[in-house]
């Protein structure tokens, strides 16, 4: 049986994806990177789920709320450039950046 998550992780390892494009919660390539008030960038869905359960920063353990999340245009720009260099990855993940 095809395991898309495992295939993507293997592909990521072979590509040596820059760390700042990977979500610190999931370890996966981000699709919608958001900057939190703790200064860290996360995948939007991952930090949203984390905050609903924990209510704190995964890094500082200080309180964070959903209203403080903002799209990170710098990481989005880097993601777009990376995906332009790797169109197979973009197609396989149905990326719409």
């Amino acid at each position: 049986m095809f395991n898309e998550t495992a295939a993507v992780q293997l592909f990521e390892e072979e590509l040596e994806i820059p760390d700042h494009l990977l979500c610190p919660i999931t370890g996966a390539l981000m699709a919608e990177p958001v900057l939190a008030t703790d200064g860290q960038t996360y995948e939007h869905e991952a930090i949203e789920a984390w905050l609903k359960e924990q209510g704190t920063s995964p890094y500082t353990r200080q309180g964070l709320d959903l209203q403080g999340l903002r799209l990170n245009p710098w990481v989005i720009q880097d993601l777009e450039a990376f995906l332009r260099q790797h169109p197979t990855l973009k197609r396989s993940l149905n990326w719409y950046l």
Side-chain angles (χ1 to χ4, degrees):
M1 185 162 120
F2 178 73
N3 182 331
E4 184 176 338
T5 302
V8 169
Q9 287 174 340
L10 177 62
F11 202 60
E12 289 174 351
E13 290 171 15
E14 291 177 9
L15 284 176
E16 297 183 27
I17 296 172
D19 287 342
H20 74 286
L21 301 182
L22 300 174
C23 175
I25 296 171
T26 65
L29 187 66
M30 291 185 276
E32 188 180 358
V34 292
L35 183 62
T37 55
D38 66 356
Q40 299 297 318
T41 298
Y42 306 94
E43 171 58 38
H44 187 238
E45 287 183 14
I47 190 64
E48 188 173 88
W50 175 279
L51 290 176
K52 285 179 181 175
E53 186 174 314
Q54 304 291 328
T56 62
S57 162
Y59 277 93
T60 66
R61 303 292 187 229
Q62 299 294 319
L64 283 180
D65 62 30
L66 294 172
Q67 284 67 35
L69 302 177
R70 300 289 179 256
L71 286 174
N72 187 328
W74 301 280
V75 174
I76 290 171
Q77 183 177 18
D78 287 352
L79 269 169
E80 289 171 341
F82 180 79
L83 291 172
R84 275 193 303 274
Q85 293 174 355
H86 304 284
T88 304
L89 177 61
K90 183 176 181 175
R91 282 192 302 275
S92 71
L93 296 175
N94 295 320
W95 235 262
Y96 298 105
L97 289 175

